[in-house]
Amino acid sequence: MDANIKSVKSLFSGPISYRIPPFQRPYCWHRQRQWEPLWEDIKRLAERHSAGEITPHFMGAIVLQQLPFSTGEVTKRLVIDGQQRLVTIQLLLKATELEFKTVHEDNRVMRIGGMTQNDSFHSGNDDDNLVKIRQSHKGDRQAFQGIMNQSGNEDGTPLNEAFKFFRQSVERWLQEDPLLRAKNERAERLEAALSEHLKFVSVDLDDGEEPYTIFSTLNERGEILASSDLIRNMLMQQAKVGEDEEKAGKIWGIFERDSWWLGRTPETNLKRTQADRFFDHWLTVHTHGTTRPPDRLTADFNRFLIRACKDMQQGIEGIVGDLNHSAEIYRQIQRAQLADTSSSESLQRMHDLSIGAPMSLMLWLFAHESLSLETKRSVSQIVESYIVRRKLMKWPSNGLVDMFAALVKKMQDVREEDLASTTVEHLFAQSNTLRWPNDEEIEIQLISQPMLKQKAAQKSILVAVERHLRSGKAEPLGDMSQLTLEHVMPKGWKKEDWPLSIHGGIETSRRELVESRNRKIDFIGNLTLITRRLNSSTGNRSWSEKKPELDEHSSLILNKRLLEAAPQVWDERAIETRSRELARIVLVVWPRVDEYRVQLESN
């Protein structure tokens, strides 16, 4: 390993090609965080140069490794670390070159151009060698070459946005003083700042040093790279990808074809991508239910990968194959888009209730192609009942991740015909804050307490109730996403439309009556589903006005039963009565553990 301080001029002068390997991310620098601060630093360097204050600005370290090249061809370096900085400097140089051309600084155009383009007689019949940097990602490569050759269009990629920003910045810099002599002086200062005063620490690796390991070591303690970025590096290392794009695509292509993997998970306490969360669940499954803190994912995955690759029966090819298969299943699980509608509905309700703890178990279950559909459906419905009942009780989710991971471990040695009963017994055996709520607790909760606050969860519960109420003769339910949650008695009720009443001659102050009503408005008995259009038309109107609207425009059985038993006055007593009715339906939709036992024994 050899480290030297190099200027931009020394890095890019002469025939050279910096190759970005497949394990690197696409270009991802942004205006506020990187481009603007860099440009401000360059302007300060230019001002200092005019004042004779030659103070270099260090851009950080880049790590390179020599690659083989043919005689007469460009020298090739593999960029192990620092690709974002090198690419940004190239965009800045090209922007400066074009603006120098605009103001007829021809000699400077030639000098800067020598740092952005290689001569054709060094290309070796490879167009990638004509530019100083060869991108690994085809999209980035096309955009970058289009900028450097001025043959591309402005397609809004980060590369094009960066180039436009720097070109506009250089143009404003040169135009600040309209005098020709001043322009020449400003161009001189800018050229000096860019080519001489921007410095890098260039680390050149020896042939025997492993580039992927160096990359991981440099980045594993930072916060910029996601865990999945480092895991990609590990997989590329074990597969010995080098510059083989086809091989890299087979390993990581599934995570690049869908931007969903880069999105954040709904977990509010963790800033993790969907890809990070998948690898966490996948590793839990393959380490027999072992969990870990988020900051241990990359280290634990690396240890597992090294051990697994020594297994001649599996090796890196087997691991990559399993990862790709499991990733596709996981995406279907998280999107609730499995082929089985019933299982997808169970998963969707877990997502609506913001409970991700069972996803390791769900990944293990649905990734097993040998398991029957009936088994998968039974286990997911049992887990759903446990999750929904706990959510209705508003019990905390602490400990659920480890509890479901323990179930994953238990499932490894269980016959298929016993998987559902094992799930029931494992969940029933939980105690204290992890136990399965019984019927009495659920009923008391629903008739005496407001529903959980999340609207998505409230709607999901009512949709499940509606599905249960519909017989096989009823018309299909249709797209439930078009329905919205409705309070029968609105939160913004007015006493002239919704008069207060006292039942049983109990003397109660008006303040107490108002407080009691406001509390009961969020009871399950006061909630229903209607279309958005009907919701906007009924709004805060009185019960006598709402009833005919619901009767005429709603085909939901939930609303038909509401209207059949509806009194002339919709008040606290009506809410309590319907809450009790819906509580009984909820207990059927999500049965207690004893009913699952009876059902499994009969099966």
Side-chain angles (χ1 to χ4, degrees):
M1 184 182 295
D2 185 26
N4 294 284
I5 296 176
K6 293 185 178 181
S7 65
V8 168
K9 182 179 180 180
S10 60
L11 279 173
F12 291 113
S13 292
I16 191 164
S17 174
Y18 293 100
R19 324 285 280 200
I20 310 296
F23 65 79
Q24 298 272 23
R25 292 178 296 176
Y27 185 75
C28 62
W29 273 20
H30 301 284
R31 176 170 181 154
Q32 291 183 338
R33 292 181 58 187
Q34 286 97 9
W35 308 337
E36 287 180 348
L38 173 60
W39 178 246
E40 292 300 318
D41 290 336
I42 290 169
K43 288 198 296 184
R44 280 192 291 271
L45 284 176
E47 296 296 341
R48 289 173 184 170
H49 176 80
S50 64
E53 301 173 3
I54 310 300
T55 305
H57 175 76
F58 281 93
M59 290 284 296
I62 56 173
V63 181
L64 310 170
Q65 189 171 52
Q66 180 76 48
L67 289 174
F69 60 95
S70 302
T71 303
E73 210 179 21
V74 294
T75 303
K76 296 178 182 178
R77 294 281 193 277
L78 193 68
V79 181
I80 308 306
D81 196 48
Q83 64 127 337
Q84 305 284 340
R85 291 184 285 272
L86 289 176
V87 170
T88 303
I89 291 300
Q90 277 291 298
L91 297 173
L92 175 55
L93 287 171
K94 189 64 182 181
T96 305
E97 175 191 342
L98 294 177
E99 287 306 312
F100 280 171
K101 187 175 182 179
T102 300
V103 295
H104 307 294
E105 290 284 345
D106 297 336
N107 291 334
R108 300 190 202 282
V109 170
M110 293 181 62
R111 287 194 293 269
I112 298 293
M115 291 188 279
T116 62
Q117 301 282 141
N118 291 315
D119 294 325
S120 59
F121 50 81
H122 287 299
S123 69
N125 295 320
D126 184 353
D127 289 343
D128 284 338
N129 289 335
L130 293 175
V131 292
K132 299 290 183 177
I133 292 177
R134 178 188 185 275
Q135 297 279 359
S136 59
H137 296 270
K138 291 183 179 179
D140 272 7
R141 187 188 308 169
Q142 183 177 1
F144 184 76
Q145 287 184 329
I147 293 169
M148 305 313 286
N149 299 326
Q150 285 299 285
S151 60
N153 53 19
E154 298 181 359
D155 56 5
T157 65
L159 288 165
N160 279 281
E161 292 302 312
F163 173 71
K164 287 194 294 184
F165 168 78
F166 286 123
R167 186 160 186 184
Q168 291 169 0
S169 299
V170 173
E171 180 186 18
R172 284 194 297 269
W173 164 265
L174 294 176
Q175 297 294 338
E176 283 183 9
D177 194 325
L179 296 178
L180 182 62
R181 181 177 177 181
K183 284 184 181 178
N184 180 272
E185 292 176 353
R186 295 179 77 80
E188 179 185 353
R189 298 203 302 267
L190 180 57
E191 181 186 1
L194 287 175
S195 61
E196 301 291 348
H197 304 330
L198 283 181
K199 304 287 186 179
F200 290 83
V201 176
S202 178
V203 180
D204 291 292
L205 302 181
D206 297 330
D207 291 337
E209 292 173 300
E210 177 53 65
Y212 305 95
T213 304
I214 297 293
F215 172 80
S216 181
T217 302
L218 286 168
N219 290 285
E220 66 181 357
R221 297 186 183 277
E223 296 181 351
I224 297 177
L225 291 179
S227 297
S228 51
D229 291 316
L230 296 173
I231 288 172
R232 172 178 54 188
N233 161 30
M234 298 170 197
L235 294 169
M236 299 290 186
Q237 172 186 349
Q238 290 293 337
K240 303 187 184 304
V241 168
E243 289 191 272
D244 190 335
E245 293 180 17
E246 183 178 355
K247 196 172 184 180
K250 291 179 179 178
I251 292 174
W252 203 255
I254 189 171
F255 301 105
E256 292 184 330
R257 287 190 291 270
D258 192 340
S259 60
W260 176 84
W261 290 104
L262 300 177
R264 295 295 185 186
T265 64
E267 301 161 303
T268 56
N269 59 328
L270 293 174
K271 292 183 179 180
R272 310 183 78 178
T273 64
Q274 293 287 1
D276 287 359
R277 202 70 178 102
F278 160 70
F279 283 109
D280 189 16
H281 289 309
W282 185 90
L283 192 57
T284 293
V285 169
H286 285 74
T287 54
H288 306 291
T290 302
T291 59
R292 66 209 57 78
D295 59 357
R296 292 294 307 167
L297 174 58
T298 52
D300 287 2
F301 189 94
N302 191 39
R303 280 197 296 271
F304 168 83
L305 190 61
I306 291 172
R307 288 196 304 268
C309 286
K310 292 179 181 178
D311 181 0
M312 297 305 293
Q313 293 182 342
Q314 187 177 32
I316 186 63
E317 291 80 11
I319 293 171
V320 168
D322 190 275
L323 277 170
N324 276 265
H325 169 70
S326 298
E328 179 56 38
I329 298 297
Y330 182 77
R331 180 167 54 180
Q332 294 173 15
I333 289 172
Q334 291 298 96
R335 289 175 166 178
Q337 294 177 346
L338 293 167
D340 178 41
T341 302
S342 176
S343 298
S344 292
E345 289 173 0
S346 291
L347 289 166
Q348 186 58 59
R349 277 188 282 277
M350 296 184 208
H351 299 330
D352 290 338
L353 271 57
S354 301
I355 299 294
M359 291 307 116
S360 292
L361 175 65
M362 295 297 104
L363 179 60
W364 178 88
L365 181 70
F366 289 101
H368 268 69
E369 295 181 337
S370 61
L371 297 180
S372 68
L373 176 61
E374 187 59 37
T375 296
K376 294 176 180 179
R377 184 181 294 174
S378 296
V379 172
S380 60
Q381 287 175 348
I382 292 166
V383 172
E384 179 197 347
S385 177
Y386 173 83
I387 290 297
V388 170
R389 284 191 168 219
R390 288 182 54 83
K391 194 71 174 183
L392 288 172
M393 294 299 297
K394 305 176 186 176
W395 288 352
S397 59
N398 299 351
L400 288 181
V401 171
D402 290 335
M403 188 275 291
F404 278 108
L407 181 54
V408 170
K409 180 179 181 181
K410 192 176 291 186
M411 294 292 214
Q412 309 286 335
D413 302 317
V414 175
R415 300 176 303 172
E416 178 176 355
E417 55 265 34
D418 296 327
L419 288 176
S421 59
T422 299
T423 303
V424 169
E425 296 307 322
H426 180 79
L427 297 178
F428 182 65
Q430 303 305 311
S431 59
N432 300 325
T433 59
L434 292 177
R435 63 188 178 84
W436 197 334
N438 60 39
D439 286 3
E440 183 181 4
E441 289 172 315
I442 294 295
E443 187 170 8
I444 292 175
Q445 175 74 15
L446 291 180
I447 66 177
S448 64
Q449 298 293 328
M451 277 278 281
L452 58 160
K453 292 183 178 180
Q454 299 98 320
K455 287 187 177 180
Q458 293 174 341
K459 179 181 174 181
S460 187
I461 299 296
L462 293 178
V463 167
V465 169
E466 173 67 21
R467 292 188 189 280
H468 172 78
L469 292 175
R470 302 178 82 82
S471 67
K473 296 180 180 180
E475 69 271 15
L477 193 53
D479 185 7
M480 299 299 286
S481 66
Q482 301 304 312
L483 298 179
T484 183
L485 196 70
E486 165 75 350
H487 290 76
V488 180
M489 179 186 292
K491 288 188 173 183
W493 59 272
K494 297 179 180 179
K495 62 181 181 180
E496 54 268 25
D497 294 327
W498 303 86
L500 292 165
S501 58
I502 300 176
H503 298 293
I506 301 174
E507 292 194 14
T508 310
S509 69
R510 187 180 186 284
R511 181 179 60 82
E512 291 173 323
L513 287 173
V514 170
E515 288 177 355
S516 175
R517 167 170 288 188
N518 287 338
R519 184 169 175 272
K520 285 184 170 62
I521 278 180
D522 284 319
F523 276 30
I524 191 172
N526 192 47
L527 301 177
T528 192
L529 299 170
I530 59 176
T531 63
R532 297 181 188 277
R533 199 168 174 184
L534 183 55
N535 192 336
S536 61
S537 67
T538 57
N540 292 344
R541 294 163 68 181
S542 67
W543 174 233
S544 61
E545 295 173 298
K546 275 193 172 183
K547 280 178 63 178
E549 289 286 304
L550 284 172
D551 189 31
E552 181 179 356
H553 299 292
S554 177
S555 62
L556 296 183
I557 297 177
L558 192 66
N559 290 331
K560 290 186 180 299
R561 294 183 67 159
L562 163 65
L563 295 171
E564 287 171 2
Q568 292 300 314
V569 177
W570 187 265
D571 58 7
E572 294 79 354
R573 178 172 288 181
I575 292 173
E576 292 169 2
T577 301
R578 186 164 178 266
S579 293
R580 194 176 299 276
E581 177 192 354
L582 290 179
R584 286 194 288 267
I585 299 173
V586 163
L587 296 177
V588 177
V589 178
W590 295 284
R592 64 179 185 267
V593 65
D594 293 344
E595 293 185 13
Y596 279 119
R597 283 173 166 170
V598 172
Q599 180 183 348
L600 291 169
E601 288 173 3
S602 64
N603 288 341

